[in-house]
Amino acid sequence: MRGDFDTLSPKLQERHLKNTKSLNKITVKVLDKYTTDQVKEVLQKLMNNEIFSLRITRPLFIEKIKMVAKFLREERGINLKK
């Protein structure tokens, strides 16, 4: 299957593991400590990096983007669709 971890080259496997590790650090608890501008910056970086992400890592990027957008909407009262 294309995008399976075992079929990736060692370099891409390393990239996937690095991205996964850094994405797992993004939690609501961490976002609570940030200012609104910092949270928006995190969201922007996630969206920019998602474009170039590996197929296997993309679902985690999307999950984190949705989590940060929901955090902004519910905790900070910022609707990004406007």
Side-chain angles (χ1 to χ4, degrees):
M1 178 177 139
R2 194 167 177 215
D4 188 34
F5 183 77
D6 296 329
T7 62
L8 296 174
S9 70
K11 188 174 181 179
L12 290 178
Q13 286 180 353
E14 184 180 321
R15 181 174 152 200
H16 167 68
L17 292 173
K18 180 182 164 211
N19 282 340
T20 301
K21 185 178 179 182
S22 65
L23 286 169
N24 284 333
K25 291 179 183 177
I26 302 172
T27 63
V28 172
K29 205 175 215 181
V30 171
L31 294 176
D32 260 342
K33 298 175 186 174
Y34 290 174
T35 65
T36 300
D37 288 338
Q38 288 173 318
V39 175
K40 286 181 180 179
E41 191 175 313
V42 168
L43 180 62
Q44 189 63 49
K45 285 182 181 180
L46 281 171
M47 290 169 48
N48 289 342
N49 289 333
E50 188 266 335
I51 294 167
F52 301 108
S53 67
L54 299 172
R55 180 179 290 192
I56 192 170
T57 315
R58 192 161 294 134
L60 186 56
F61 269 100
I62 293 170
E63 177 185 321
K64 293 298 179 173
I65 289 169
K66 287 180 180 179
M67 183 200 69
V68 174
K70 182 178 178 183
F71 174 83
L72 281 170
R73 186 174 57 250
E74 293 179 357
E75 301 295 324
R76 306 285 169 98
I78 297 172
N79 189 355
L80 298 171
K81 291 184 179 179
K82 289 183 181 178

